[in-house]
Amino acid sequence: MGLILMEGNEAIGWGAMAAGCNFFAGYPITPATTIYNTMLKLLPPSGGICLQGEDEIASIGFCLGASMAGMRTMTATSGPGISLYSEQISFAIGSEIPIVIVDVQRLGPSTGSATKGADGDIQFLRWGNSGGLPVIVLAPVDVTDCYVLSMQAFNLAEQYRCPVFIAANKEISMTRETLELDGLNLPQTGARRTADANTPFLPFGVKGKHLVPDFLPIGGQRLVRQTSSTHAADGYITTDPEQIAQMQERLDAKLSTSVSEFTYYDESCTAEADTLVIVYGVTARAARAAVRMLQESGNPASLLVLKTLWPVPEQLIMEKAATYKRVVMAEMNLGQYVPEIQRLLPGKKIDFLGQMNGELIKPGQIMEVV
């Protein structure tokens, strides 16, 4: 396809299609609406389905139903819609329903400023479910990330049978830039593991060392039970503490013990630096410029760009920060991810730069803190 000029939201849609997405449902909301527009152009001609729900709750519900029937589904919204998604997110976690959820973040709280970017939903994406169980959250930096991480998100949702969030930002999603597909190292398309339809089937049962159940679609030849209530491996509601504990521990372990397999990041290291700058999302672009200018001025710093936010890539952060005397964390909120850095690096000097005023963090601000 060569060079294409597109905005981040369009790249998310094209990446979803490359990953095999065949169902999208959403409700118009700035700044995520152009994802819906893109899917409306791409899905029907390829045999897929694109729906506008009557609201956000209906839209994610459509996606969960389609996913349980075996389709690869995505929805997209912004902060106010994520709030409405919360109950269905819990359903997807507890009943192991694959779905990709794009949150194009805008300035909050509440309806906030629809045309101003922020990273104010980072904690809510992790903890916005009623059980507190883990989810996967990926954070793109640019249009290329929007494409590639969308593909990764689908693979992870299918592999781990869970919701996977793309934590975008208005400033990434509505900025047009060049996407160069030729030469990109794109992931192979993966799929959820299908159960043998001719053997006894436990809809939430696992075998051997596997932590993720095999899949059979609702509406197929075999009876498949599904419930949002606390259940055992057979899909029936249970109040047995031992069965409940086993299920909860497995739901936690299937992601928390596997994060090294989907830890995505970029780095720029300078041997003589004693400061490591840690960022994610659109702020990484300012940080790259700041680190380059610091190097030119004789005050070098290194850079770590996190693209996997949840589960926290603990091993990566501890290893990359080990040799530095000081860490600078910058994010477009008042401090939602920096507590994780402080938790992992006790005794390390950590300086924080945060703002949530509708403006981007500028390279000069990062330089000042460094």
Side-chain angles (χ1 to χ4, degrees):
M1 295 177 69
L3 295 172
I4 312 170
L5 183 67
M6 64 172 64
E7 67 174 31
N9 279 344
E10 292 175 297
I12 288 170
W14 281 94
M17 293 297 293
C21 177
N22 54 8
F23 187 97
F24 179 93
Y27 188 79
I29 182 172
T30 303
T33 302
T34 48
I35 297 176
Y36 169 67
N37 294 344
T38 301
M39 302 309 285
L40 191 59
K41 294 176 183 177
L42 297 178
L43 274 172
S46 67
I49 297 171
C50 184
L51 295 176
Q52 177 181 317
E54 61 264 35
D55 53 31
E56 286 87 353
I57 298 172
S59 298
I60 188 173
F62 294 160
C63 289
L64 296 186
S67 181
M68 286 187 279
M71 303 185 82
R72 296 167 76 95
T73 70
M74 181 173 78
T75 187
T77 189
S78 192
I82 289 289
S83 300
L84 293 169
Y85 281 2
S86 183
E87 182 180 3
Q88 303 277 36
I89 291 168
S90 299
F91 181 25
I93 293 169
S95 295
E96 299 181 83
I97 306 169
I99 181 174
V100 174
I101 303 171
V102 186
D103 178 14
V104 185
Q105 297 170 89
R106 70 192 208 189
L107 184 66
S110 190
T111 47
S113 297
T115 59
K116 298 289 186 180
D119 287 325
D121 304 343
I122 297 302
Q123 281 285 343
F124 189 71
L125 295 180
R126 168 62 183 92
W127 298 106
N129 66 83
S130 57
L133 288 163
V135 295
I136 298 173
V137 178
L138 308 179
V141 171
D142 52 27
V143 70
T144 300
D145 278 349
C146 286
Y147 188 94
V148 175
L149 290 181
S150 293
M151 296 188 68
Q152 299 283 18
F154 271 92
N155 285 346
L156 294 171
E158 296 288 312
Q159 180 180 352
Y160 293 101
R161 288 188 58 180
C162 68
V164 178
F165 293 90
I166 299 174
N169 178 303
K170 177 260 172 180
E171 306 299 347
I172 298 169
S173 286
M174 300 196 75
T175 296
R176 288 188 176 276
E177 54 188 331
T178 301
L179 173 63
E180 185 174 4
L181 284 177
D182 294 343
L184 280 182
N185 184 21
L186 298 176
Q188 295 294 315
T189 300
R192 65 193 87 167
R193 193 173 56 251
T194 304
D196 184 351
N198 298 313
T199 60
F201 177 60
L202 293 175
F204 299 100
V206 293
K207 303 171 184 176
K209 295 182 179 180
H210 290 301
L211 293 174
V212 182
D214 293 345
F215 175 80
L216 285 177
I218 283 179
Q221 297 300 310
R222 291 292 302 273
L223 175 66
V224 177
R225 299 185 193 93
Q226 182 60 275
T227 177
S228 62
S229 297
T230 304
H231 52 266
D234 58 8
Y236 283 112
I237 295 173
T238 182
T239 58
D240 179 81
E242 184 175 344
Q243 292 189 46
I244 293 171
Q246 289 175 354
M247 187 67 64
Q248 302 279 22
E249 289 165 6
R250 181 178 63 76
L251 290 173
D252 178 84
K254 73 176 184 178
L255 296 184
S256 62
T257 63
S258 302
V259 65
S260 62
E261 298 177 18
F262 49 86
T263 294
Y264 309 123
Y265 67 97
D266 286 337
E267 64 179 333
S268 176
C269 298
T270 303
E272 61 270 26
D274 63 6
T275 297
L276 175 66
V277 179
I278 300 179
V279 290
Y280 60 86
V282 69
T283 306
R285 302 168 77 128
R288 286 171 179 164
V291 166
R292 183 178 65 251
M293 289 186 285
L294 286 165
Q295 179 74 29
E296 293 170 354
S297 68
N299 298 291
S302 294
L303 176 65
L304 175 63
V305 179
L306 300 176
K307 298 185 181 181
T308 299
L309 298 184
W310 306 104
V312 179
E314 298 183 355
Q315 198 62 38
L316 171 78
I317 293 168
M318 290 187 291
E319 287 179 1
K320 297 300 182 182
T323 60
Y324 296 94
K325 296 179 181 178
R326 177 174 173 242
V327 169
V328 171
M329 175 84 198
E331 50 183 329
M332 283 179 66
N333 54 53
L334 301 183
Q336 294 197 19
Y337 205 76
V338 69
E340 299 298 329
I341 306 301
Q342 293 165 334
R343 174 178 66 85
L344 293 171
L345 306 175
K348 188 84 68 177
K349 178 174 173 53
I350 299 173
D351 291 316
F352 173 67
L353 168 62
Q355 68 182 39
M356 196 164 64
N357 60 2
E359 297 292 322
L360 290 166
I361 293 175
K362 299 175 177 61
Q365 293 175 269
I366 297 173
M367 292 176 68
E368 286 181 18
V369 176
V370 173

